[in-house]
Amino acid sequence: MIGVYPGSFDPLTLGHYDIVERANKIFAELYVVIMHNNEKNTFFSIDERVDMARNSLKDFKKVKVESYSGLMVDYFKLKQADYIVRGLRAVSDFEYELQMALMNRSLDCSVETLFLMTSQKFIFLSSSTVKDIAGYRGDVSKFVSPYVLEKITEKIDKLGK
Ligand code: ADP
């Protein structure tokens, strides 16, 4: 089976990593796809996000990291995927995720979304929290890979924060 795990990954956190680790056990091939979304003002560029995800996930031999600007359902068809993978944390994720899953299915009825629950320790972890804490020079080493930590620190230094 082929899975695609889409998201902003701005940046990839250990919560995302946890979902990849779970999905890696299910799929023969897994594409982590960094979506280019014009609506979202991201902290890292698409190339930076791809680089951080590739580096953090390099030990997963079946996992490929790509970027895509377009509709998720088109990417899904392009890869002849079986499932879209999404992570669920608290109940608060549910409404948005349900809306996306049903919207994707209404665009193409062959699209199924598979939800995987995060580990309890990552339940309150999001890319935004990591950026907020790092912006105030707080310690985020428990939440991201060493490579992402290095890149966040570099970026914040460059911005002179
Ligand atoms: P998007 O902008 O598409 O929501 P994100 O990068 O924020 O992109 O998230 C991608 C997916 O990963 C979403 O399904 C989100 O719920 C999930 N996710 C984010 N953080 C975590 C976490 N800590 N644990 C599990 N899943 C997570």
Side-chain angles (χ1 to χ4, degrees):
M1 283 203 302
I2 302 174
V4 295
Y5 179 26
S8 314
F9 303 104
D10 185 34
L12 186 127
T13 68
L14 295 185
H16 296 124
Y17 185 98
D18 181 84
I19 298 297
V20 170
E21 207 167 28
R22 292 169 197 286
N24 186 54
K25 293 181 195 142
I26 302 173
F27 296 99
E29 278 173 65
L30 181 68
Y31 292 92
V32 172
V33 53
I34 323 268
M35 300 299 286
H36 188 82
N37 183 342
N38 291 330
E39 302 276 294
K40 273 198 178 174
N41 234 335
T42 57
F43 186 64
F44 289 101
S45 71
I46 193 109
D47 291 342
E48 289 170 326
R49 284 180 279 151
V50 168
D51 171 58
M52 286 184 285
R54 280 208 179 123
N55 200 292
S56 310
L57 303 172
K58 61 179 184 300
D59 293 337
F60 297 105
K61 299 298 170 217
K62 297 185 288 179
V63 173
K64 292 190 187 82
V65 177
E66 295 187 345
S67 63
Y68 190 68
S69 61
L71 281 179
M72 190 53 227
V73 292
D74 292 333
Y75 183 83
F76 182 87
K77 279 187 272 187
L78 191 74
K79 294 294 169 194
Q80 298 184 310
D82 298 284
Y83 288 98
I84 290 179
V85 174
R86 295 284 288 177
L88 280 181
R89 286 161 291 188
V91 186
S92 51
D93 278 340
F94 181 77
E95 209 170 316
Y96 172 70
E97 292 295 340
L98 177 70
Q99 191 185 347
M100 288 244 302
L102 294 185
M103 185 51 77
N104 283 332
R105 195 190 278 161
S106 77
L107 291 172
D108 182 332
C109 62
S110 70
V111 176
E112 270 317 329
T113 307
L114 181 75
F115 293 100
L116 297 174
M117 306 295 160
T118 188
S119 298
Q120 211 162 344
K121 59 181 186 266
F122 299 133
I123 214 142
F124 297 113
L125 176 58
S126 67
S127 301
S128 325
T129 318
V130 166
K131 285 177 283 189
D132 278 351
I133 299 172
Y136 290 107
R137 300 280 180 187
D139 178 14
V140 291
S141 57
K142 279 202 296 260
F143 307 129
V144 294
S145 70
Y147 188 74
V148 171
L149 182 65
E150 190 188 310
K151 294 290 155 186
I152 295 187
T153 312
E154 251 173 42
K155 186 103 174 171
I156 286 165
D157 284 347
K158 217 188 264 171
L159 293 172
K161 277 204 176 185

